[in-house]
Amino acid sequence: MSATARMLPDGRLHLNHGPIDVVLRAWGDGAEVKRAYMQAAAAFRSILPGLCRELPLLRRPLPGPRPEGFVARRMHAAATPFADRFITPMAAVAGAVADHLLAAMRDGRRLARAFVNDGGDIALHLEPDQSFRCGIVTDLMAPGLDAVATIRAEDGIGGIATSGRAAKGEGGRSFSLGIADAVTVLAADAATADAAATLIANAVDLPGHPAVARVPAVSLDPDSDLGDRPVTVGLGALKPIEIRHALAAGVAEAERFRSRGLIRAAILHLAGARAVCGPAPVAIAA
């Protein structure tokens, strides 16, 4: 299967190559936007082949050797600061793809605003006085516009990523070690947000709780970088105090990352409850 690119009626560009499905858009002078789209489409063609060549290395736990490809290097660089926890560069793959394509779009171009959305992990560019309103999902099992984050250029946020327990066995495309319905992280770039969201979602947990169903990751995907680590495939009813304890564990992890300057903010959701770390610019949607 070869990479494809097509314009959507609303002015967005849709890029697809196997498991990589991206929607992006830029605002600015028409000629500049057109060139930005051409640059993104050209950069996109080599992403999947490059990642496939280095998959064995990218699935190894960090710390580890630095890969060669442009996107693979972004993945490695984003995940390495979190290597005191179990993490592989694959935790940052979607965000790194988004960052790489945004950089390709911006190369030599004058754009007022731009975003690259890779499966919900989003890289952002904002010139001064520009802003985006980004939808926040509170449950990956039933995605919908539940809240809105207003991102301004002066916030220094270049990436948003969401992770949670919507594993492949429950209709998602990734696995989680925790029980969060959704964890959204705002950071300086999408790859860092992606890696942090994965680990914060893992930390929202109630180890050994009978309501949590888990199976080894390899039983669902023999190629999973998580190996035989138990991933969440089901969650029963929880008491309010249990929900608070699980969210508190996630907030503690998020605060640790924020204190190190790795993330700007995080919004955590579990069973209808929300917890926020940092000055998240979030407003509840009606």
Side-chain angles (χ1 to χ4, degrees):
M1 180 183 295
S2 60
T4 62
R6 67 183 182 94
M7 288 298 303
L8 300 178
D10 60 2
R12 295 176 299 163
L13 179 66
H14 178 216
L15 304 174
N16 179 266
H17 195 181
I20 306 178
D21 198 62
V22 172
V23 175
L24 58 85
R25 187 170 183 182
W27 287 260
D29 175 77
E32 288 290 283
V33 170
K34 183 177 180 180
R35 293 189 185 100
Y37 285 1
M38 293 174 62
Q39 291 171 192
F44 184 70
R45 289 193 289 269
S46 64
I47 290 177
L48 185 60
L51 291 175
C52 288
R53 283 193 294 270
E54 298 194 83
L55 264 181
L57 176 60
L58 297 173
R59 287 171 171 160
R60 294 182 192 173
L62 293 170
R66 187 169 181 254
E68 296 296 325
F70 292 119
V71 175
R73 287 182 180 180
R74 287 182 184 272
M75 294 162 61
H76 184 274
T80 293
F82 302 96
D84 58 338
R85 299 286 195 264
F86 170 83
I87 193 170
T88 76
M90 294 301 293
V93 60
V97 169
D99 286 334
H100 180 69
L101 290 174
L102 182 66
M105 290 174 69
R106 295 185 60 202
D107 187 17
R109 307 273 65 85
R110 297 185 303 276
L111 304 172
R113 299 189 297 163
F115 73 79
V116 179
N117 185 339
D118 181 9
D121 295 336
I122 306 170
L124 305 172
H125 164 67
L126 291 166
E127 287 293 301
D129 298 323
Q130 296 290 322
S131 65
F132 275 121
R133 283 168 54 84
C134 302
I136 302 294
V137 174
T138 61
D139 187 349
L140 292 176
M141 295 294 295
L145 182 59
D146 302 296
V148 175
T150 300
I151 311 297
R152 303 165 300 174
E154 57 265 34
D155 293 326
I157 294 168
I160 304 175
T162 301
S163 185
R165 68 176 183 87
K168 289 182 179 177
E170 293 189 332
R173 69 175 187 174
S174 61
F175 299 140
S176 179
L177 306 182
I179 62 173
D181 293 328
V183 170
T184 299
V185 170
L186 294 81
D189 58 79
T192 300
D194 196 4
T198 298
L199 293 181
I200 297 168
N202 287 347
V204 179
D205 200 11
L206 295 169
H209 195 287
V212 185
R214 308 180 200 264
V215 299
V218 292
S219 71
L220 300 172
D221 181 357
D223 297 322
S224 173
D225 60 318
L226 297 177
D228 60 1
R229 287 171 176 80
V231 297
T232 303
V233 294
L235 180 63
L238 300 175
K239 298 176 182 178
I241 192 171
E242 294 171 332
I243 295 169
R244 291 195 296 272
H245 285 168
L247 285 173
V251 169
E253 188 82 321
E255 289 287 2
R256 195 171 72 89
F257 297 157
R258 194 170 75 92
S259 70
R260 295 171 56 198
L262 296 172
I263 69 172
R264 300 289 194 271
I267 308 101
L268 297 72
H269 295 96
L270 173 61
R274 168 184 287 142
V276 177
C277 165
V282 175
I284 303 297

